[in-house]
Amino acid sequence: MNSTTGAAEQAAASGLLGRLNETLPHPLTPEWEAAFKGVPRHRFLPENVWLGADLTPCDRRKSPDEWLRAAYDDEPVVTQINDGADPGDGDRWPSCSASAPGIVFRMLHMLDVQSGDRVLEIGTGTGWNAGLLSHRLGAELVTTVEVDPALADQAAANLKDVGLEPHVILGDGATLELSHRLDRFLATCSVRSVSPGWVASMKPGGVMLLPWETPWLCYGLLRLTAGSDGSASGNFHPHSAFMLMRGQRTDLRIFRDVVRDEHVPEESTTRLSPWAVTGDDWAAQFAIGLQLRDVWFTWHEDPDVEGVASRLWVATTDATSWAAIDHDGQTNDRFTVWEYGPRRLWSEVEAAYHWWTSHARPRPEHFGMTITSDGRHTPWLETPNTTIPQTG
């Protein structure tokens, strides 16, 4: 470990390293194990962090043992809330985190960097990931981009503190223009679309790894290989959920942005349970999200509507079409549907779900995506020759 790392930190880090080597699909290679030891995770966490789903504050000065446990748990640690603004008595929401070490090293394994590779990272965050890459490749080959000025400054300071100085750029990674071609591209924020500029920056055969999100579901890693024709193509892989790239965020609420008193929806019924498309079956949700890339949902429990126990709202991201599916709390094979706008969204959801079931309920890793030089995204099943239907 780093010579300035104390005994407690060394013991905690050694414990995490052992757990990672036991639980990861591929134990850390000697190069990544050296990076883990040479770039201590706790050196990249701020004094104040937020833990768990309820974002409980944890101050290192007041709770040093709890803070250190969080630093070396295989769990994400929220390092910024509300884009750095003081929420006061308002809602807290995470805006930056140190990703769980397990997903960090799984992604680095998937990136398959080789000595001499030039790498670009979008989403510097705390700087730990850029530090690991810099230790493995040499800081001169690593460029990392962060849109938040405070985070960029702190990450650069964290990196310098452990003797690493990759190129830390303050800016919007979506529009960044580079003077050199890349061997590897890594995003540490989820994306809903891949910038054509990212693909154009890759050398043929270069690898891109991006956490994926649709408005329907945040899930999966998209690993692309750049072709000689300016396109990139590859498969999805399971198990990841990252904060969405800031420039691709949507802040929509049903009653504030979508539904209006003057809207007169059309009524119908359905036998498709709303829980079938929003429940625990992530494969169904993933397939629906790929087909309906501009549609999102939210639940409204116990709405103030006679005879309705729960209501699923579905809407487009441009807020022009919506649907509501009502459950009366008793009948589980028939649901009332209300649809408004130029699109019949529940009909689209039903079609997407039935397409998925008719193709033997494929899992996320059975899907892939091709991005062409003009930015067109074409999802496919099993091979690029089998494209899947899309709306929106």
Side-chain angles (χ1 to χ4, degrees), residues 104-230:
V104 168
F105 283 101
R106 186 161 72 88
M107 289 176 66
L108 290 173
H109 177 84
M110 292 174 66
L111 196 63
D112 190 28
V113 297
Q114 304 296 319
S115 296
D117 279 352
R118 191 176 292 275
V119 180
L120 174 68
E121 175 194 49
I122 300 294
T124 310
T126 67
W128 188 50
N129 207 67
L132 295 169
L133 284 165
S134 297
H135 191 284
R136 169 69 177 83
L137 296 169
E140 70 280 2
L141 293 175
V142 178
T143 299
T144 180
V145 185
E146 175 56 55
V147 72
D148 185 303
L151 293 178
D153 287 346
Q154 187 58 57
N158 293 341
L159 288 159
K160 189 173 183 179
D161 190 47
V162 296
L164 297 169
E165 297 189 60
H167 308 288
V168 179
I169 297 176
L170 173 64
D172 183 355
T175 59
L176 182 71
E177 294 185 6
L178 296 174
S179 59
H180 54 262
R181 304 291 290 279
L182 299 168
D183 300 287
R184 297 292 186 268
F185 179 102
L186 176 69
T188 57
C189 52
S190 64
V191 301
R192 292 179 176 175
S193 62
V194 179
S195 168
W198 297 347
V199 179
S201 71
M202 301 302 298
K203 296 177 183 178
V207 174
M208 307 176 70
L209 187 61
L210 309 106
W212 185 253
E213 176 172 323
T214 64
W216 198 270
L217 179 68
C218 177
Y219 181 87
L221 294 167
L222 178 57
R223 188 181 191 274
L224 302 167
T225 301
S228 58
D229 61 352

Side-chain angles (χ1 to χ4, degrees), residues 143-334:
T143 299
T144 180
V145 185
E146 175 56 55
V147 72
D148 185 303
L151 293 178
D153 287 346
Q154 187 58 57
N158 293 341
L159 288 159
K160 189 173 183 179
D161 190 47
V162 296
L164 297 169
E165 297 189 60
H167 308 288
V168 179
I169 297 176
L170 173 64
D172 183 355
T175 59
L176 182 71
E177 294 185 6
L178 296 174
S179 59
H180 54 262
R181 304 291 290 279
L182 299 168
D183 300 287
R184 297 292 186 268
F185 179 102
L186 176 69
T188 57
C189 52
S190 64
V191 301
R192 292 179 176 175
S193 62
V194 179
S195 168
W198 297 347
V199 179
S201 71
M202 301 302 298
K203 296 177 183 178
V207 174
M208 307 176 70
L209 187 61
L210 309 106
W212 185 253
E213 176 172 323
T214 64
W216 198 270
L217 179 68
C218 177
Y219 181 87
L221 294 167
L222 178 57
R223 188 181 191 274
L224 302 167
T225 301
S228 58
D229 61 352
S231 68
S233 189
N235 285 90
F236 289 98
H237 299 261
H239 309 310
S240 79
F242 283 73
M243 296 175 193
L244 184 62
M245 189 176 193
R246 292 193 184 187
Q248 296 183 11
R249 288 176 181 170
T250 52
D251 179 20
L252 292 169
R253 300 182 187 180
I254 285 293
F255 296 114
R256 186 191 68 187
D257 304 307
V258 180
V259 178
R260 298 287 182 265
D261 290 340
E262 65 270 19
H263 289 176
V264 181
E266 294 183 4
E267 181 181 0
S268 61
T269 61
T270 182
R271 293 189 178 278
L272 176 61
S273 166
W275 289 278
V277 296
T278 63
D280 295 332
D281 195 332
W282 285 19
Q285 289 200 53
F286 186 85
I288 290 168
L290 276 186
Q291 295 175 76
L292 311 179
R293 289 186 53 208
D294 65 342
V295 180
W296 58 286
F297 72 86
T298 187
W299 277 96
H300 189 179
E301 298 295 341
D302 298 318
D304 188 17
V305 179
E306 184 178 354
V308 179
S310 56
R311 171 173 284 175
L312 173 67
W313 290 99
V314 179
T316 53
T317 53
D318 66 3
T320 60
S321 297
W322 58 264
I325 302 86
D326 289 344
H327 179 228
D328 62 10
Q330 299 177 358
T331 307
N332 293 317
D333 60 356
R334 193 175 185 85

Side-chain angles (χ1 to χ4, degrees), residues 45-52 55-71 77-79 92:
L45 299 185
E47 298 286 288
N48 293 292
V49 296
W50 293 264
L51 306 178
L55 297 179
T56 301
C58 178
D59 186 331
R60 183 181 189 179
R61 292 156 295 192
K62 297 178 181 178
S63 305
D65 294 340
E66 183 182 14
W67 186 94
L68 185 60
R69 280 195 300 272
V77 176
V78 173
T79 56
R92 293 175 182 160

